[in-house]
Structure formats: C-alpha cells, structure tokens
Amino acid sequence: MRIGFFDSGIGGLTVLNEAIKQCKGEDFLYFADTLHVPYGPKSKEEVLEGVKHSVQMMIDENIKALVIACNTATSIAVNELRRTYDIPIIGMEPAAKPAIQISQPLGKRVLVFATELTLKQTKYAELISEIDHDSIVDSLPLPELVEFCEQLNFDQDELTAFFQKKLAHFDLSQYGTIVLGCTHFPYFKSVLRRFLPPHIQLVDGSAGTVKQLKHVLSAQNILNTEGTGHIKFMCSTHDVDYIMKMQQGLAVLQGMEEE
C-alpha cells in the first residue's frame, strides 16, 4: 500500500521529495488537484469541496496514509478529513515555531511567506497567537510564487527582480529567519540564498512533516522498509501533460539539490 501526498499542484513535491529520502522502502501516490485550482480566489467552502473530491479519489487507490502537502488545504480541510477517514492524515502548517526558536535568541524577527488564503485562515491566526508571545512574526503574501512554480519558471534574474520588489520595504537586517509557508516555495531556496543577507535562515515544514509521518506509521506498525520507492502520479483532471509536468517538477527539485 502507498502513502498518498495531496497538493493543489506541484508544490507538494517538495514534501514528497523529503519522504523519498526519509522513508526508503515506501511506495508513494502523488495527487494534484488540477480540477479545482487555483485555490486563492475561491471561498473556503469551494476549496473544501475540491479537497474532499480529490482525497476520495486517492482513498479509492487504497492508500494507507495521507499527507496533505499543502498549507492552505490543511488549514481548511484536515479536521473534516480526519473525521471522515480512519487512515493516518498528516497536515502541514507554516514552520513558524522553529523559526521563532532560531530568531528570538538572536534578537531578530521572523518573516512568513505564504499564500493569501493561508494567511486569512483562523488556523494560521491561532498558530501565531499561540507561539508568538513577543510579536516578532510578520507575514507577506506571495501567491505569485505559486504561478512561477506551476510554470516551472525558475529564471534567476526574473525571480531576483521579483523578490527585490516585494521585499523593498523590509529591513532585512532585522530578520533572522524566513518561513517558506507554502509547499511551492522551497523551489525558490537557491535564488533566495543568493539574494538574501547570509545571516537569514530559510525554514520550511517538509522535514518535520515527514518526521511526524514516520512516527505515526511506526506507532501503527505500518512503516514499510521493503517497498521499491515507486511513485504513481495522478491529477483530478486526468491530464497526461500535467502528470508529465509533475514528473519533471520532481526531477527539477532533485537537480536543484545536487547543485
């Protein structure tokens, strides 16, 4: 049985890639909700219905666990999905807590990059309220990065100009960490590292999410060490071209790591 990874598009491949490294011996199903994207302009109710429709398609593929590799979908749908299905369901949230733990002792602030829809959710507000006791967390919506990623556009010059414009009003010397609060955003680590001051650390939730996945699978005695590492790609529109894009997106990500 496979572990399922769900996202609106190719962003969740950053989490899948981490699972490939940490969960050797598992097989995977990666599913992109191409029928209902983009999530940004949609209401919470519309996104929820799209996620539920897609997850049922994944359940029909007989997955043993599900990772909601999308911060927005987690904040909107994870509780209802857990009430509906009896398999382990692991969600994502912006990695603000470890970022605070890094920045606070240095007297620095935290900047969270995320989508507008994630930042609007009560779940995000509650998370920050619970952990940001000294009010050092700022947020910046960057939905454009999702489009860059979905187009597999990683042009260094274009992206550097984009980040320079978006961060023009921030005094980056005041920040110790930037949280990549959307699973699409780790694709931009290399250009950010070239652009940002060297003291700023980039933090994302992929490693922690996969660590939690392994813990849950082990606790339920369903962690596999004998699989082949095979990955099946699916999308809600059954679009062969998009399935090829997902395969390419994973290859691009792995190539970036080798640079």
Side-chain angles (χ1 to χ4, degrees), residues 9-10 13 29-32 34 57 150 152 231-251:
I10 69 171
L13 292 171
L29 168 66
Y30 186 87
F31 190 104
T34 49
M57 293 175 69
E150 288 294 322
L152 298 179
I231 307 166
K232 180 176 182 178
F233 293 94
M234 294 178 62
C235 61
S236 47
T237 52
H238 307 286
D239 184 340
V240 175
D241 290 338
Y242 197 86
I243 288 173
M244 291 178 63
K245 177 183 279 191
M246 290 189 282
Q247 294 169 333
Q248 184 182 357
L250 182 59

Side-chain angles (χ1 to χ4, degrees), residues 23 90 160 210 212 227 233:
C23 302
I90 311 298
T160 297
V210 175
Q212 174 66 9
F233 293 94

Side-chain angles (χ1 to χ4, degrees), residues 18 52 74 140 184 230 232 247 253:
E18 185 65 33
K52 288 165 60 178
T74 295
L140 179 64
H184 286 79
H230 178 265
K232 180 176 182 178
Q247 294 169 333
L253 189 64

Side-chain angles (χ1 to χ4, degrees), residues 6-140:
F6 168 85
D7 185 36
S8 60
I10 69 171
L13 292 171
T14 59
V15 190
L16 172 63
N17 187 49
E18 185 65 33
I20 292 169
K21 292 183 286 187
Q22 287 197 40
C23 302
K24 299 184 187 300
E26 293 286 358
D27 298 318
F28 306 101
L29 168 66
Y30 186 87
F31 190 104
D33 186 16
T34 49
L35 183 62
H36 301 102
V37 292
Y39 286 169
K42 290 184 170 60
S43 68
K44 179 178 177 178
E45 291 72 24
E46 288 174 314
V47 172
L48 176 60
E49 288 307 308
V51 174
K52 288 165 60 178
H53 174 266
S54 298
V55 169
Q56 183 57 54
M57 293 175 69
M58 299 179 72
I59 295 293
D60 292 343
E61 292 289 320
N62 201 28
I63 57 174
K64 67 177 181 181
L66 174 65
V67 178
I68 306 297
C70 172
N71 293 273
T72 299
T74 295
S75 62
I76 290 175
V78 71
N79 290 335
E80 181 158 343
L81 292 173
R82 286 172 175 159
R83 288 191 293 267
T84 304
Y85 301 108
D86 60 2
I87 64 171
I89 298 177
I90 311 298
M92 299 282 301
E93 62 183 23
K97 185 174 181 179
I100 289 173
Q101 291 171 340
I102 293 168
S103 287
Q104 198 164 38
L106 302 174
K108 300 290 187 180
R109 300 186 64 79
V110 174
L111 181 58
V112 177
F113 292 170
T115 64
E116 287 180 302
L117 198 51
T118 292
L119 296 176
K120 287 178 183 176
Q121 296 308 309
T122 302
K123 185 176 177 67
Y124 176 76
E126 290 174 346
L127 168 69
I128 299 303
S129 176
E130 182 180 333
I131 63 177
D132 185 21
H133 305 299
D134 296 323
S135 300
I136 64 170
V137 177
D138 300 315
S139 60
L140 179 64

